[in-house]
Amino acid sequence: MTSLYWKSFASACLCVTLSHPAWSAGGIEIPGYAPATGVERSYRVQKATETDMSFWFDKPSASAMTMRGAFRQRMTVLSRDEDGMRVRWSLSADLPEGIAGLGDSYQMNQLYRNSLTAYGTATLELETDLNSNPRNLSGVNQIVAHMREMATNGPDGVPVAGASAAGQSGIYDIIAKLEANPLQIVAVLAPEVQLLASGQFYQAEIMEIGQASATSRDEDYGGVSVPVTSTWTLESTDATARTATLSLSEEADAAAFSQSQQPAIENLMTGFAEQAKNLTADQLASVKRASKIRSVELVVSLNDGSTLEASEIVTVTAGGTTLRTYTHIQREDMPASLPLPAVLTAKDLQTPDLHIDPLPSAKAGQGILDELSTPPAPPKASQTVAPHNDGPKAIAPVSLEVKSAKVVSLTSFGSELDIMLTPESAAKFQDFTQAAVGEITQVLINDKVVIEPRILTPIPGGHIVINGEQDPKLLQVMAEQLALPGAKIVVRLRP
């Protein structure tokens, strides 16, 4: 998530073990995955996300944004037996050699650096099955303890109290989810694990060139079971390089996936309430439809069954928006053979205007757990900002009109005050947060500071949540005050 103070839409990370069918005899044998133990392998990883929200904006050029990252990750198989393997991943946010000078267009690297700081580790040790799909993660207790410590400390390790402490409590919801499924940590910090594993079979498979084989499974999206159809094809082999190139195409059932995305679509439409009122019946039906398609190419070694190279494109359309993610992985000791998507190598990109401050490395502070798969919302306009030299940004406070305010009771995490701004104020708030990225801000109700969030990305939709350790009765008083006609809140930089 890009912020623990503002409730933001974030997609859930799923770790799904792919099943591989047995193909008919008489074709090419893809050997079972049998990696050498104790040998470190280095991988070049390139990623990009493209988001298109032109449906909701008058100027399409202002609504399409791209973020990009380039990394060098290392993996070692520590041990292997008949039941599985133990694997270590060493992670880095540094740009690989050869990309120096282009750092401004690789904003994902700084976000990823903050994620490593937030989790308190640059190394993951996994227990996996024989395909290398993760089954268990070591050191979860230490990671969670590190995050709990950060939940009670502000920047530079200075303890926070009162209203500032209340803003921290949202992190405990995230911690609880990680404790329930620690593999989400792997999905955030090392998604390469699952992509590489998708091309590795635990036993030899026979495939025929050009023959497709379909399988199906169900994935859970917020309690909705969504059937997913996967089609595998052996595209070609290279006798000299001793490799096979496989393709995998996956598509989620449109009706079930659309059903699973309705809460997120409704939230998005609330953020664009004025535009939504003017939609035609056909446009409204289109907005409420959702789809997810995944396309993968894999180069697999015919010597030991390991994935040497992978290229993945995932396209999700929902609520009139399209999010497309690109990933390319190449083992450094092997030549590349798959074409790179243009977005990964383009010199000029339309990137968000973000200033990303690094989290303190000793004790990470506010605004942690960056979701790399969720790009920041594009700005609707720019707010005047003084040059960011050694002094603070000069950003004027904004007075925001409240549309609704209510207290929501959370079974395990106390109560929270849910504030929805008017459409005009939502636009002002988005402009303010766009200008204030990287800064610590304050939210004032009746001239009293109630939270002090650090802004990591622009915040669209006009939805603000004050959650946590404050007295529920106090939250109810604030809700009643904000429910009065013409009620306003003030947001400003922290003095």
Side-chain angles (χ1 to χ4, degrees), residues 197-486:
S198 65
Q200 296 166 173
F201 306 164
Y202 74 94
Q203 62 183 8
E205 301 282 359
I206 302 296
M207 302 180 67
E208 296 181 10
I209 293 178
Q211 180 176 339
S213 180
T215 63
S216 63
R217 68 179 187 277
D218 289 340
E219 291 185 359
D220 180 81
Y221 288 85
V224 178
S225 182
V226 178
V228 178
T229 301
S230 305
T231 303
W232 286 88
T233 306
L234 173 59
E235 300 291 347
S236 63
T237 61
D238 187 325
T240 302
R242 294 284 298 161
T243 60
T245 300
L246 313 177
S247 67
L248 167 63
S249 61
E250 293 188 333
E251 185 169 359
D253 178 81
F257 188 72
S258 295
Q259 179 186 351
S260 74
Q261 299 304 301
Q262 290 311 302
I265 292 172
E266 292 298 329
N267 285 340
L268 182 66
M269 291 180 65
T270 299
F272 292 95
E274 293 302 314
Q275 295 95 318
K277 291 178 182 178
N278 299 319
L279 296 179
T280 65
D282 288 342
Q283 287 174 325
L284 184 60
S286 175
V287 166
K288 293 188 174 182
R289 287 195 294 267
S291 64
K292 181 179 180 180
I293 299 173
R294 178 177 180 237
S295 177
V296 184
E297 286 187 284
L298 301 146
V299 178
V300 178
S301 169
L302 294 178
N303 294 319
D304 65 3
S306 61
T307 301
L308 306 176
E309 188 177 3
S311 181
E312 176 190 61
I313 302 175
V314 180
T315 303
V316 177
T317 301
T321 69
T322 299
L323 172 66
R324 185 171 287 110
T325 65
Y326 303 83
T327 304
H328 180 267
I329 306 174
Q330 177 196 346
R331 209 172 83 181
E332 286 190 323
D333 62 329
M334 302 298 295
S337 60
L338 299 177
L340 282 173
V343 66
L344 297 180
T345 57
K347 292 185 178 180
D348 297 318
L349 290 176
Q350 187 174 352
T351 59
D353 183 16
L354 295 180
H355 172 74
I356 305 170
D357 284 340
L359 292 178
S361 58
K363 289 184 180 288
Q366 302 168 333
I368 62 173
L369 294 179
D370 305 294
E371 282 286 347
L372 300 183
S373 63
T374 304
K380 294 175 67 173
S382 298
Q383 187 163 343
T384 303
V385 180
H388 191 76
N389 299 320
D390 294 333
K393 292 181 180 180
I395 305 174
V398 289
S399 178
L400 305 172
E401 187 172 353
V402 176
K403 179 180 180 182
S404 64
K406 61 183 178 179
V407 176
V408 179
S409 178
L410 304 176
T411 303
S412 303
F413 307 101
S415 300
E416 62 184 23
L417 176 58
D418 192 310
I419 301 172
M420 181 61 68
L421 304 175
T422 64
E424 295 79 7
S425 289
K428 291 171 60 178
F429 182 56
Q430 179 173 336
D431 291 346
F432 175 88
T433 56
Q434 165 70 18
V437 165
E439 302 295 327
I440 298 176
T441 63
Q442 295 180 331
V443 176
L444 289 80
I445 297 177
N446 292 333
D447 298 323
K448 179 182 178 181
V449 176
V450 292
I451 53 173
E452 293 187 324
R454 181 188 293 273
I455 306 299
L456 288 191
T457 66
I459 302 171
H463 192 197
I464 301 175
V465 172
I466 299 173
N467 56 357
E469 301 169 2
Q470 297 203 45
D471 186 344
K473 294 181 180 180
L474 178 59
L475 292 179
Q476 185 61 45
V477 170
M478 288 191 288
E480 292 172 357
Q481 292 170 337
L482 294 177
L484 296 174

Side-chain angles (χ1 to χ4, degrees), residues 100-116:
L102 297 176
D104 288 345
S105 68
Y106 287 85
Q107 296 166 323
M108 289 174 69
N109 283 70
Q110 185 58 63
L111 290 173
Y112 185 61
R113 189 185 309 280
N114 283 350
S115 292
L116 294 176

